[in-house]
Every structure is written in C-alpha cells, then in structure tokens.
Coordinates of all heavy atoms in Angstrom, one line a residue:
M27 N -14.0 -5.7 14.4 CA -14.9 -6.7 13.8 C -14.9 -6.5 12.3 O -15.1 -5.5 11.8 CB -16.3 -6.5 14.4 CG -17.3 -7.5 13.8 SD -18.9 -7.2 14.6 CE -19.5 -8.8 14.6
E28 N -14.7 -7.6 11.6 CA -14.6 -7.6 10.2 C -16.0 -7.7 9.6 O -16.8 -8.5 10.0 CB -13.8 -8.8 9.7 CG -13.2 -8.6 8.3 CD -12.1 -9.6 8.0 OE1 -11.3 -10.0 8.9 OE2 -12.1 -10.1 6.9
M29 N -16.3 -6.9 8.6 CA -17.6 -6.8 7.9 C -17.7 -8.0 7.0 O -16.8 -8.4 6.3 CB -17.8 -5.5 7.2 CG -17.9 -4.3 8.0 SD -19.3 -4.3 9.1 CE -20.6 -4.2 8.0
L30 N -18.9 -8.6 7.0 CA -19.2 -9.7 6.1 C -19.7 -9.1 4.8 O -20.6 -8.2 4.8 CB -20.3 -10.6 6.7 CG -20.9 -11.7 5.9 CD1 -19.8 -12.7 5.6 CD2 -22.0 -12.4 6.6
K31 N -19.1 -9.5 3.7 CA -19.5 -9.1 2.4 C -20.7 -10.0 1.9 O -20.5 -11.2 1.7 CB -18.4 -9.1 1.4 CG -18.8 -8.6 0.0 CD -17.6 -8.7 -1.0 CE -18.0 -8.3 -2.3 NZ -17.0 -8.4 -3.3
I32 N -21.9 -9.4 1.8 CA -23.0 -10.2 1.4 C -23.1 -10.2 -0.1 O -23.1 -9.1 -0.7 CB -24.3 -9.7 2.0 CG1 -24.3 -9.7 3.5 CG2 -25.5 -10.5 1.5 CD1 -24.1 -11.0 4.2
M33 N -23.1 -11.4 -0.7 CA -23.3 -11.5 -2.1 C -24.6 -12.2 -2.4 O -24.9 -13.2 -1.7 CB -22.2 -12.3 -2.8 CG -20.8 -11.6 -2.7 SD -19.6 -12.3 -3.7 CE -20.2 -12.1 -5.3
D34 N -25.4 -11.7 -3.3 CA -26.7 -12.3 -3.6 C -26.6 -12.6 -5.1 O -27.0 -11.8 -5.9 CB -27.8 -11.4 -3.3 CG -29.2 -12.0 -3.5 OD1 -29.2 -13.3 -3.5 OD2 -30.2 -11.3 -3.7
L35 N -26.1 -13.7 -5.4 CA -26.0 -14.1 -6.8 C -27.3 -14.7 -7.3 O -28.0 -15.3 -6.6 CB -24.9 -15.2 -7.0 CG -23.5 -14.8 -6.4 CD1 -22.5 -15.9 -6.5 CD2 -23.0 -13.5 -7.1
S36 N -27.6 -14.5 -8.6 CA -28.8 -15.0 -9.2 C -28.5 -15.6 -10.5 O -27.3 -15.6 -11.0 CB -29.8 -13.8 -9.4 OG -29.4 -13.0 -10.5
R37 N -29.5 -16.2 -11.2 CA -29.3 -16.8 -12.5 C -28.9 -15.8 -13.5 O -28.2 -16.2 -14.5 CB -30.7 -17.4 -12.9 CG -31.2 -18.5 -12.1 CD -32.7 -18.8 -12.5 NE -33.1 -20.0 -11.8 CZ -33.1 -21.2 -12.3 NH1 -32.7 -21.4 -13.6 NH2 -33.5 -22.3 -11.6
E38 N -29.2 -14.5 -13.3 CA -28.8 -13.5 -14.3 C -27.4 -12.9 -14.0 O -26.9 -12.1 -14.7 CB -29.8 -12.4 -14.3 CG -31.2 -12.8 -14.8 CD -32.0 -13.6 -13.8 OE1 -31.9 -13.4 -12.6 OE2 -32.8 -14.5 -14.3
S39 N -26.8 -13.3 -12.9 CA -25.4 -12.8 -12.6 C -24.5 -13.2 -13.7 O -24.5 -14.4 -14.2 CB -24.9 -13.4 -11.3 OG -25.7 -13.0 -10.2
M40 N -23.6 -12.3 -14.1 CA -22.6 -12.6 -15.2 C -21.4 -13.3 -14.6 O -20.9 -13.0 -13.5 CB -22.1 -11.3 -15.8 CG -23.2 -10.5 -16.5 SD -24.0 -11.3 -17.9 CE -22.7 -11.3 -19.1
I41 N -21.0 -14.4 -15.3 CA -19.8 -15.2 -14.8 C -18.7 -14.3 -14.5 O -18.0 -14.3 -13.5 CB -19.5 -16.3 -15.8 CG1 -20.6 -17.2 -16.0 CG2 -18.2 -17.0 -15.4 CD1 -20.7 -18.3 -15.0
S42 N -18.4 -13.4 -15.5 CA -17.2 -12.5 -15.3 C -17.3 -11.6 -14.1 O -16.3 -11.4 -13.4 CB -17.0 -11.6 -16.6 OG -18.2 -10.8 -16.8
E43 N -18.5 -11.1 -13.8 CA -18.7 -10.3 -12.6 C -18.5 -11.1 -11.3 O -18.0 -10.6 -10.3 CB -20.0 -9.6 -12.7 CG -20.1 -8.5 -13.8 CD -21.5 -8.0 -14.0 OE1 -22.4 -8.3 -13.3 OE2 -21.6 -7.1 -14.9
I44 N -19.1 -12.3 -11.3 CA -19.0 -13.1 -10.1 C -17.5 -13.3 -9.8 O -17.1 -13.2 -8.7 CB -19.7 -14.5 -10.3 CG1 -21.2 -14.3 -10.5 CG2 -19.4 -15.4 -9.2 CD1 -21.9 -15.5 -11.0
L45 N -16.7 -13.7 -10.8 CA -15.3 -14.1 -10.6 C -14.5 -12.8 -10.3 O -13.5 -12.9 -9.6 CB -14.8 -14.9 -11.8 CG -15.4 -16.2 -11.9 CD1 -14.9 -16.9 -13.2 CD2 -15.2 -17.1 -10.7
E46 N -14.9 -11.7 -10.8 CA -14.2 -10.4 -10.5 C -14.4 -10.0 -9.1 O -13.5 -9.7 -8.4 CB -14.6 -9.3 -11.5 CG -13.9 -8.0 -11.3 CD -14.4 -7.0 -12.2 OE1 -14.6 -7.3 -13.4 OE2 -14.5 -5.8 -11.8
D47 N -15.6 -10.1 -8.6 CA -16.0 -9.7 -7.3 C -15.6 -10.8 -6.3 O -15.4 -10.5 -5.1 CB -17.5 -9.4 -7.2 CG -17.9 -8.2 -8.0 OD1 -17.0 -7.4 -8.3 OD2 -19.1 -8.1 -8.3
F48 N -15.6 -12.0 -6.7 CA -15.4 -13.1 -5.7 C -14.6 -14.3 -6.4 O -15.2 -15.3 -6.7 CB -16.8 -13.6 -5.2 CG -16.7 -14.7 -4.2 CD1 -16.1 -14.4 -3.0 CD2 -17.2 -15.9 -4.4 CE1 -16.0 -15.4 -2.0 CE2 -17.1 -16.9 -3.5 CZ -16.5 -16.7 -2.3
P49 N -13.3 -14.1 -6.6 CA -12.5 -15.1 -7.3 C -12.5 -16.4 -6.5 O -12.2 -17.5 -7.1 CB -11.1 -14.4 -7.4 CG -11.1 -13.3 -6.4 CD -12.6 -12.9 -6.2
E50 N -12.7 -16.4 -5.2 CA -12.7 -17.6 -4.4 C -13.8 -18.5 -4.8 O -13.9 -19.7 -4.4 CB -12.9 -17.2 -2.9 CG -11.8 -16.4 -2.3 CD -12.0 -14.9 -2.5 OE1 -13.2 -14.5 -2.8 OE2 -11.0 -14.1 -2.5
A51 N -14.8 -18.1 -5.6 CA -15.9 -18.9 -6.1 C -15.4 -19.9 -7.2 O -16.1 -20.9 -7.4 CB -17.0 -18.1 -6.6
M52 N -14.3 -19.7 -7.8 CA -13.9 -20.5 -8.9 C -13.8 -22.0 -8.6 O -14.3 -22.8 -9.4 CB -12.5 -20.1 -9.4 CG -12.1 -20.8 -10.7 SD -10.6 -20.2 -11.5 CE -11.1 -18.6 -12.0
P53 N -13.3 -22.4 -7.4 CA -13.4 -23.9 -7.1 C -14.8 -24.5 -7.1 O -14.9 -25.6 -7.5 CB -12.7 -24.0 -5.7 CG -11.9 -22.8 -5.6 CD -12.6 -21.7 -6.4
K54 N -15.8 -23.7 -6.7 CA -17.1 -24.2 -6.7 C -17.6 -24.5 -8.1 O -18.3 -25.5 -8.3 CB -18.1 -23.3 -5.9 CG -17.7 -23.1 -4.5 CD -17.8 -24.4 -3.8 CE -17.4 -24.3 -2.3 NZ -17.3 -25.6 -1.6
F55 N -17.3 -23.6 -9.0 CA -17.6 -23.8 -10.4 C -16.9 -25.1 -10.9 O -17.5 -25.9 -11.6 CB -17.2 -22.6 -11.3 CG -18.0 -21.4 -11.1 CD1 -17.8 -20.4 -10.1 CD2 -19.1 -21.2 -12.0 CE1 -18.5 -19.3 -10.0 CE2 -19.9 -20.0 -11.9 CZ -19.6 -19.1 -10.9
Q56 N -15.6 -25.2 -10.6 CA -14.8 -26.3 -11.1 C -15.3 -27.6 -10.5 O -15.3 -28.6 -11.2 CB -13.4 -26.0 -10.8 CG -12.9 -24.9 -11.7 CD -11.5 -24.4 -11.3 OE1 -11.0 -24.6 -10.2 NE2 -10.8 -23.9 -12.3
E57 N -15.7 -27.6 -9.3 CA -16.2 -28.9 -8.7 C -17.4 -29.5 -9.4 O -17.6 -30.7 -9.5 CB -16.7 -28.6 -7.2 CG -15.6 -28.4 -6.2 CD -16.2 -28.1 -4.8 OE1 -17.4 -28.3 -4.5 OE2 -15.4 -27.4 -4.1
L58 N -18.2 -28.6 -10.1 CA -19.4 -29.1 -10.8 C -19.1 -29.3 -12.3 O -20.0 -29.5 -13.1 CB -20.5 -28.1 -10.6 CG -21.1 -28.1 -9.2 CD1 -22.2 -27.0 -9.0 CD2 -21.6 -29.4 -8.7
G59 N -17.8 -29.1 -12.7 CA -17.5 -29.4 -14.1 C -17.4 -28.2 -15.0 O -17.2 -28.3 -16.2
M60 N -17.4 -27.0 -14.4 CA -17.3 -25.8 -15.3 C -15.8 -25.3 -15.2 O -15.5 -24.5 -14.3 CB -18.3 -24.7 -14.8 CG -18.6 -23.6 -15.8 SD -19.7 -22.4 -15.2 CE -21.2 -23.4 -15.0
H61 N -15.0 -25.8 -16.1 CA -13.6 -25.5 -16.1 C -13.1 -24.4 -17.0 O -12.0 -24.0 -16.9 CB -12.8 -26.8 -16.4 CG -13.1 -27.9 -15.5 ND1 -12.6 -27.9 -14.2 CD2 -13.9 -29.0 -15.6 CE1 -13.0 -29.0 -13.6 NE2 -13.9 -29.7 -14.4
C62 N -13.9 -24.0 -17.9 CA -13.5 -23.0 -18.9 C -13.9 -21.6 -18.6 O -14.4 -20.8 -19.4 CB -14.0 -23.3 -20.3 SG -15.8 -23.4 -20.4
L63 N -13.6 -21.2 -17.3 CA -14.0 -19.9 -16.8 C -13.3 -18.7 -17.4 O -13.7 -17.6 -17.3 CB -13.9 -19.9 -15.3 CG -14.8 -20.9 -14.6 CD1 -14.5 -21.0 -13.1 CD2 -16.3 -20.6 -14.8
G64 N -12.2 -19.0 -18.1 CA -11.4 -17.9 -18.7 C -11.7 -17.7 -20.2 O -11.2 -16.8 -20.8
C65 N -12.5 -18.6 -20.7 CA -12.7 -18.5 -22.2 C -13.6 -17.3 -22.5 O -14.4 -16.8 -21.7 CB -13.4 -19.8 -22.7 SG -15.1 -20.0 -22.3
P66 N -13.5 -16.8 -23.7 CA -14.2 -15.6 -24.1 C -15.7 -15.7 -23.9 O -16.4 -14.7 -23.5 CB -13.8 -15.3 -25.5 CG -12.5 -16.0 -25.7 CD -12.5 -17.2 -24.8
A67 N -16.3 -16.8 -24.2 CA -17.7 -17.0 -24.1 C -18.2 -16.9 -22.6 O -19.2 -16.3 -22.4 CB -18.1 -18.4 -24.6
S68 N -17.4 -17.3 -21.7 CA -17.9 -17.3 -20.3 C -17.9 -15.8 -19.8 O -18.6 -15.5 -18.9 CB -16.9 -18.1 -19.4 OG -15.7 -17.5 -19.2
Q69 N -17.2 -15.0 -20.4 CA -17.1 -13.6 -20.0 C -18.5 -12.8 -20.3 O -18.8 -11.8 -19.7 CB -16.0 -12.8 -20.6 CG -14.6 -13.4 -20.3 CD -14.4 -13.5 -18.8 OE1 -14.4 -12.5 -18.1 NE2 -14.1 -14.7 -18.3
A70 N -19.2 -13.4 -21.2 CA -20.4 -12.7 -21.7 C -21.7 -13.5 -21.3 O -22.8 -13.2 -21.8 CB -20.4 -12.4 -23.2
E71 N -21.5 -14.6 -20.5 CA -22.6 -15.5 -20.2 C -23.2 -15.2 -18.8 O -22.4 -14.9 -17.9 CB -22.2 -16.9 -20.2 CG -22.0 -17.5 -21.6 CD -21.6 -19.0 -21.6 OE1 -20.8 -19.4 -20.7 OE2 -22.1 -19.7 -22.4
T72 N -24.4 -15.4 -18.6 CA -25.0 -15.4 -17.3 C -24.8 -16.7 -16.7 O -24.4 -17.7 -17.4 CB -26.5 -15.1 -17.3 OG1 -27.2 -16.2 -18.0 CG2 -26.9 -13.8 -18.0
L73 N -25.0 -16.8 -15.4 CA -24.8 -18.1 -14.7 C -25.7 -19.1 -15.3 O -25.3 -20.3 -15.5 CB -25.0 -17.9 -13.2 CG -24.7 -19.0 -12.3 CD1 -23.2 -19.4 -12.4 CD2 -25.0 -18.7 -10.9
E74 N -27.0 -18.8 -15.6 CA -27.9 -19.7 -16.1 C -27.5 -20.2 -17.5 O -27.6 -21.4 -17.8 CB -29.3 -19.0 -16.2 CG -30.4 -20.0 -16.6 CD -31.8 -19.4 -16.4 OE1 -32.0 -18.2 -16.7 OE2 -32.7 -20.2 -16.0
Q75 N -27.0 -19.3 -18.3 CA -26.6 -19.7 -19.7 C -25.4 -20.7 -19.6 O -25.4 -21.7 -20.3 CB -26.2 -18.5 -20.5 CG -27.3 -17.6 -20.9 CD -26.9 -16.3 -21.4 OE1 -25.8 -15.7 -21.0 NE2 -27.7 -15.7 -22.3
A76 N -24.5 -20.4 -18.8 CA -23.3 -21.3 -18.6 C -23.7 -22.6 -18.1 O -23.2 -23.7 -18.6 CB -22.3 -20.6 -17.8
C77 N -24.6 -22.7 -17.1 CA -25.0 -23.9 -16.6 C -25.8 -24.8 -17.6 O -25.6 -26.0 -17.7 CB -25.9 -23.7 -15.3 SG -24.9 -23.2 -13.9
M78 N -26.6 -24.1 -18.4 CA -27.3 -24.8 -19.4 C -26.3 -25.5 -20.5 O -26.5 -26.6 -20.8 CB -28.3 -23.9 -20.2 CG -29.2 -24.5 -21.1 SD -30.5 -23.5 -21.8 CE -29.6 -21.9 -22.1
V79 N -25.3 -24.7 -20.9 CA -24.4 -25.2 -21.8 C -23.6 -26.4 -21.3 O -23.3 -27.4 -22.0 CB -23.4 -24.1 -22.2 CG1 -22.2 -24.6 -23.0 CG2 -24.1 -23.0 -23.1
H80 N -23.3 -26.4 -20.0 CA -22.5 -27.4 -19.4 C -23.3 -28.5 -18.7 O -22.7 -29.4 -18.1 CB -21.5 -26.8 -18.3 CG -20.5 -25.9 -19.0 ND1 -19.3 -26.5 -19.6 CD2 -20.4 -24.6 -19.1 CE1 -18.6 -25.5 -20.0 NE2 -19.2 -24.4 -19.8
G81 N -24.6 -28.4 -18.8 CA -25.5 -29.4 -18.2 C -25.4 -29.5 -16.6 O -25.4 -30.5 -16.0
I82 N -25.2 -28.3 -16.0 CA -25.1 -28.2 -14.6 C -26.4 -27.6 -14.0 O -27.0 -26.7 -14.6 CB -23.9 -27.3 -14.3 CG1 -22.6 -27.9 -14.7 CG2 -23.8 -26.9 -12.8 CD1 -21.4 -27.0 -14.7
D83 N -26.8 -28.1 -12.9 CA -28.0 -27.6 -12.2 C -27.7 -26.2 -11.6 O -26.9 -26.1 -10.7 CB -28.3 -28.6 -11.1 CG -29.6 -28.2 -10.3 OD1 -30.0 -27.0 -10.3 OD2 -30.1 -29.0 -9.6
V84 N -28.3 -25.2 -12.2 CA -28.0 -23.8 -11.8 C -28.4 -23.5 -10.3 O -27.6 -22.8 -9.7 CB -28.7 -22.8 -12.8 CG1 -30.2 -22.9 -12.6 CG2 -28.2 -21.4 -12.5
D85 N -29.4 -24.2 -9.9 CA -29.8 -23.9 -8.5 C -28.8 -24.5 -7.5 O -28.5 -23.9 -6.5 CB -31.2 -24.5 -8.2 CG -32.3 -23.8 -9.0 OD1 -32.2 -22.6 -9.0 OD2 -33.2 -24.5 -9.5
K86 N -28.2 -25.7 -7.9 CA -27.1 -26.3 -7.0 C -25.9 -25.4 -7.0 O -25.3 -25.1 -5.9 CB -26.8 -27.7 -7.5 CG -25.7 -28.4 -6.7 CD -25.5 -29.8 -7.2 CE -24.5 -30.5 -6.4 NZ -24.3 -31.9 -6.8
L87 N -25.5 -24.9 -8.2 CA -24.3 -24.0 -8.2 C -24.6 -22.7 -7.5 O -23.7 -22.3 -6.7 CB -23.9 -23.7 -9.7 CG -22.7 -22.8 -9.8 CD1 -21.5 -23.5 -9.2 CD2 -22.4 -22.6 -11.3
L88 N -25.8 -22.1 -7.6 CA -26.1 -20.9 -6.9 C -26.0 -21.1 -5.4 O -25.4 -20.3 -4.7 CB -27.5 -20.5 -7.2 CG -27.7 -19.5 -8.4 CD1 -29.1 -19.3 -8.8 CD2 -27.0 -18.2 -8.1
A89 N -26.5 -22.2 -4.9 CA -26.5 -22.5 -3.5 C -25.0 -22.6 -3.0 O -24.7 -22.1 -2.0 CB -27.3 -23.8 -3.2
L90 N -24.2 -23.4 -3.7 CA -22.8 -23.6 -3.3 C -22.0 -22.2 -3.3 O -21.3 -21.9 -2.4 CB -22.1 -24.5 -4.3 CG -22.5 -26.0 -4.2 CD1 -21.9 -26.8 -5.3 CD2 -22.0 -26.6 -2.8
V91 N -22.2 -21.5 -4.4 CA -21.4 -20.2 -4.5 C -21.9 -19.2 -3.5 O -21.1 -18.5 -2.9 CB -21.5 -19.7 -5.9 CG1 -20.8 -18.3 -6.0 CG2 -20.8 -20.7 -6.9
N92 N -23.2 -19.0 -3.3 CA -23.8 -18.1 -2.3 C -23.3 -18.5 -0.9 O -23.0 -17.6 -0.1 CB -25.3 -18.0 -2.4 CG -25.8 -17.0 -3.4 OD1 -25.2 -15.9 -3.5 ND2 -26.7 -17.4 -4.2
E93 N -23.3 -19.8 -0.6 CA -22.9 -20.2 0.7 C -21.4 -19.9 0.9 O -21.1 -19.3 2.0 CB -23.1 -21.7 0.8 CG -22.6 -22.3 2.1 CD -22.8 -23.8 2.2 OE1 -23.7 -24.4 1.6 OE2 -22.0 -24.4 2.9
E94 N -20.6 -20.1 -0.1 CA -19.2 -19.8 0.0 C -18.9 -18.3 0.1 O -18.1 -17.9 0.9 CB -18.4 -20.4 -1.2 CG -16.9 -20.3 -1.1 CD -16.3 -21.2 0.0 OE1 -16.9 -22.2 0.4 OE2 -15.2 -20.8 0.4
A95 N -19.6 -17.6 -0.7 CA -19.4 -16.1 -0.8 C -19.8 -15.4 0.5 O -19.3 -14.4 0.9 CB -20.2 -15.5 -1.9
N96 N -20.8 -16.0 1.2 CA -21.3 -15.4 2.4 C -20.7 -15.9 3.7 O -21.3 -15.6 4.8 CB -22.8 -15.4 2.4 CG -23.3 -14.5 1.3 OD1 -23.0 -13.3 1.2 ND2 -24.0 -15.1 0.4
K97 N -19.7 -16.8 3.7 CA -19.0 -17.3 4.9 C -18.3 -16.1 5.6 O -17.7 -15.3 4.9 CB -18.0 -18.3 4.5 CG -18.5 -19.7 4.3 CD -17.4 -20.7 4.1 CE -17.9 -22.1 3.9 NZ -16.8 -23.0 3.6
P98 N -18.3 -16.1 6.9 CA -17.5 -15.1 7.6 C -16.1 -15.3 7.3 O -15.6 -16.4 7.0 CB -17.8 -15.4 9.1 CG -19.1 -16.1 9.1 CD -19.1 -16.9 7.8
A99 N -15.3 -14.2 7.2 CA -13.9 -14.2 6.9 C -13.2 -15.2 7.9 O -13.5 -15.2 9.1 CB -13.3 -12.8 7.0
G100 N -12.3 -15.9 7.4 CA -11.5 -16.8 8.2 C -12.1 -18.2 8.3 O -11.5 -19.1 8.9
E101 N -13.2 -18.5 7.8 CA -13.8 -19.8 7.9 C -13.3 -20.7 6.7 O -13.1 -20.3 5.6 CB -15.3 -19.7 7.8 CG -15.9 -19.9 9.1 CD -17.4 -20.1 9.1 OE1 -18.0 -20.9 8.2 OE2 -18.1 -19.4 9.8

C-alpha cells in the first residue's frame, strides 16, 4: 500500500518550498495566472505575498493546491 504524502500548505508557505516538495502543483499556480514561478522574486515570496502581487485569491489557490497535493497516488 502506497503512503499518502499529506501536505498542509498555508498562506505563509514559501513558493520555492512548495514547488521543491511538490512540483506537480505548478499547473495549479499557472491555471490562476501565476506564470513566473522561476523568477528570483518568487523564490523568496510566501504564497500570500505572491497572490497579492498577482491579484489572485490566496484561499482559492490554497484549496486547489492542497487538494492536488493530497490526492492518492495514481489519481
């Protein structure tokens, strides 16, 4: 039985850490218009800071990324 990796992302989660631990989250960021995930600024921003700069609802992004991150393997 494969273990489920539980991720609990928050507004204070660093973009760089999210993408390092869970690169599969990148499409969720891009779906909402956050395309510059490799730029130097994004490496030092929290999720909340990045959403504010891009005019993205942080709660919506958190819900999407947490849902994706916590899907059972193979889904």
Side-chain angles (χ1 to χ4, degrees):
M27 179 179 210
E28 205 168 319
M29 293 296 294
L30 175 63
K31 180 180 179 183
I32 300 297
M33 294 190 65
D34 187 24
L35 305 176
S36 72
R37 292 168 175 264
E38 292 79 31
S39 297
M40 300 296 290
I41 299 278
S42 59
E43 292 172 1
I44 295 169
L45 296 176
E46 183 178 318
D47 293 341
F48 185 60
E50 300 86 18
M52 190 174 289
K54 296 301 177 187
F55 285 88
Q56 293 171 331
E57 283 175 25
L58 294 176
M60 200 177 293
H61 299 284
C62 59
L63 298 170
C65 75
S68 74
Q69 301 304 301
E71 286 181 322
T72 65
L73 190 58
E74 185 169 39
Q75 291 168 329
C77 286
M78 186 172 42
V79 168
H80 291 281
I82 295 170
D83 181 341
V84 67
D85 294 318
K86 182 176 182 178
L87 182 58
L88 270 171
L90 287 171
V91 174
N92 273 316
E93 179 183 330
E94 186 69 25
N96 293 304
K97 279 185 180 176
E101 259 190 45

